[in-house]
Amino acid sequence: MPRLRAHATIMAMDTLVDTMNAGTGPAPEIEIMGTDHIEFWVGNARQAAYYYQRAFGFDLVAYAGPETGLRDRASYVLQQGKVRFVLTTGLSPDHPVVRHQALHGDGVRDVALWVTDARKAFATAVARGATVVHEPEVRADADGEVVVAAIAAAGDTIHSLVQRDGYAGAFLPGFQPARGLGQMDAGLRYVDHVVTNVEDGRMVAWQQHYEKVFGFRFFANFDDKDISTEFSALRSVVVANHNERIKMPINEPAEGRRRSQIQEYLDFYQGPGVQHIALATDDIVATVRTLRGNGVAFQYTPDSYYNAIADRLPGVAEDVEELKAMGILVDRDDKGYMLQLFTKPVEDRPTLFFEIIQRRGSTSFGKGNFKALFESIERDQAARGNL
Ligand code: FE2
């Protein structure tokens, strides 16, 4: 099958799904077991940690800061299911974390990948053209050692490569176990995908970068015919690793009558970066009900949406009235269906947001919901005066 390129082909999602060959073929040279953690550089990590505990149901499990001998920053490690977030603040005006936060606002610095061999992964990636952030280093404490290296991703974002088979501690050497507000699990299980926004004309270059450097393969694409509304448009391509534990959609803005929501992100983030993190649940109705009860704000779904998708609803196990009450979106492909809902941005800048997703067979990204989603985003964009 010839390689499909973004821009070049408009294909139905079910045709795309047939081209996937999940998890087969020889072992990759860079073996990635999953997302190790996602680190956010923020203005006030102590308060952000409270928000992610109270609003999203994370558990505080580890901490590093002045009290643990780390003089220049404070980091809080939050866990729910297999999802691990690290929230870090710098403690002086010239600190790199503080400068990053001043430029970008709160945002994702590091999409850290869990690898079986960090030295080999780093050497392979760099030999294939990755930009070095830091060389492999061994960090150790009484609980063992980890090997961590890092390479550049889009903009100021990086990928740490974390090898932790020799470590039994709470997170990484230097962190101490911490107790937070107590268990408030919202049912979030793992990171389904992480989406990056890049500048107009850069999407294919980043797709090729991930294919070349990591050996990722093309997974799906959507062009501006799929993803456009009356006003704005974007193009998107998805790359995935060998075992599909890492799926990375990459978006770029497309010409529309008004400013693309991707361009709005780029303008406010001052460049490329992580747009949204999709977190998987086994019970999206319960998860969204919990998050809404905790005060998480979601994109609005009009009642008319459920009339428009009536053909997708037969065979859906969930109570449609409950889906409606929670505003949950439904899409189908030939493998099954999926349920999803997007939060509003979690900062004052219209940048990072979250997706809650439950897959019932479907491997898609909710193409059938793009229009409904974007019209909702555009209502907010217009309210900000940015459409
Ligand atoms: Fe998504």
Side-chain angles (χ1 to χ4, degrees):
M1 166 107 212
R3 182 173 301 285
L4 303 169
R5 284 291 172 207
H7 300 287
T9 317
I10 304 166
M11 295 181 77
M13 192 63 211
D14 50 356
T15 313
L16 283 170
V17 169
D18 291 339
T19 69
M20 300 171 188
N21 54 343
T24 58
E29 286 172 83
I30 298 178
E31 191 172 13
I32 303 173
M33 303 304 289
T35 307
D36 189 88
H37 64 273
I38 297 175
E39 181 168 6
F40 304 72
W41 280 3
V42 302
N44 187 334
R46 182 184 296 255
Q47 289 189 6
Y50 181 87
Y51 174 75
Y52 283 103
Q53 289 177 84
R54 277 285 185 229
F56 281 87
F58 281 83
D59 202 16
L60 179 68
V61 297
Y63 170 80
E67 300 87 345
T68 70
L70 188 64
R71 303 305 303 172
D72 68 324
R73 64 178 73 189
S75 287
Y76 298 75
V77 182
L78 302 171
Q79 179 109 29
Q80 186 172 177
K82 292 179 183 167
V83 186
R84 188 155 47 199
F85 287 170
V86 181
L87 305 163
T88 297
T89 290
L91 301 179
S92 61
D94 293 331
H95 195 281
V97 175
V98 173
R99 291 207 305 265
H100 188 279
Q101 198 271 337
L103 182 62
H104 300 296
D106 288 7
V108 172
R109 163 64 173 175
D110 188 357
V111 180
L113 304 173
W114 172 29
V115 297
T116 52
D117 186 337
R119 292 181 186 87
K120 182 182 171 194
F122 176 84
T124 305
V126 172
R128 293 171 175 172
T131 301
V132 176
V133 175
H134 69 78
E135 302 271 334
E137 56 189 40
V138 177
R139 300 180 197 166
D141 66 12
D143 291 315
E145 65 175 47
V146 298
V147 185
V148 184
I151 60 172
D156 286 334
T157 313
I158 68 169
H159 292 302
S160 285
L161 306 169
V162 183
Q163 178 186 343
R164 55 169 64 256
D165 53 326
Y167 195 66
F171 175 52
L172 291 174
F175 283 78
Q176 292 185 358
R179 279 257 291 281
L181 303 174
Q183 191 52 259
M184 291 179 286
D185 196 300
L188 300 173
R189 304 265 61 96
Y190 60 89
V191 174
D192 187 274
H193 58 275
V194 177
V195 183
T196 298
N197 285 342
V198 300
E199 303 95 328
D200 190 9
R202 296 287 298 151
M203 179 186 74
V204 172
W206 276 105
Q207 173 194 353
Q208 291 168 342
H209 180 83
Y210 278 104
E211 289 170 348
K212 186 177 119 198
V213 165
F214 282 111
F216 286 5
R217 64 192 167 71
F218 171 88
F219 192 84
N221 76 341
F222 313 99
D223 73 5
D224 45 359
K225 309 227 171 19
D226 296 322
I227 315 178
S228 65
T229 64
E230 185 188 352
F231 292 124
S232 78
L234 64 85
R235 287 176 290 269
S236 187
V237 62
V238 186
V239 291
N241 80 322
H242 176 75
N243 56 23
E244 293 179 7
R245 293 184 191 171
I246 304 295
K247 293 193 285 280
M248 291 188 177
I250 303 163
N251 298 331
E252 68 180 4
E255 282 295 313
R257 274 176 57 198
R258 301 285 185 87
R259 180 158 58 155
S260 168
Q261 55 157 302
I262 307 306
Q263 193 58 50
E264 186 196 34
Y265 174 101
L266 295 168
D267 292 346
F268 278 85
Y269 200 70
Q270 301 287 314
V274 172
Q275 178 210 37
H276 76 264
I277 299 165
L279 302 172
T281 171
D282 296 329
D283 184 349
I284 194 169
V285 172
T287 294
V288 171
R289 183 179 289 122
T290 298
L291 298 184
R292 284 190 185 279
N294 293 347
V296 174
F298 287 93
Q299 292 293 344
Y300 173 69
T301 307
D303 280 351
S304 59
Y305 166 80
Y306 297 93
N307 300 328
I309 61 149
D311 58 320
R312 293 181 205 160
L313 296 176
V316 167
E318 288 73 17
D319 181 339
V320 174
E321 289 308 313
E322 283 196 306
L323 296 179
K324 249 189 219 181
M326 291 296 126
I328 293 164
L329 308 173
V330 187
D331 200 13
R332 267 188 191 282
D333 61 25
D334 64 337
K335 292 191 173 173
Y337 68 96
M338 56 94 90
L339 305 155
Q340 62 183 167
L341 187 57
F342 298 85
T343 73
K344 292 184 184 277
V346 292
E347 322 71 20
D348 290 298
R349 298 192 202 193
T351 53
L352 177 73
F353 58 90
F354 291 92
E355 173 182 351
I356 310 301
I357 183 168
Q358 181 179 3
R359 296 191 179 278
R360 292 227 187 235
S362 168
T363 55
S364 84
F365 293 83
K367 176 175 122 173
N369 291 321
F370 287 167
K371 194 174 170 68
L373 167 67
F374 296 157
E375 285 174 352
S376 173
I377 289 176
E378 282 165 12
R379 272 193 291 277
D380 292 348
Q381 206 179 333
R384 291 188 288 261
N386 293 332
L387 186 63

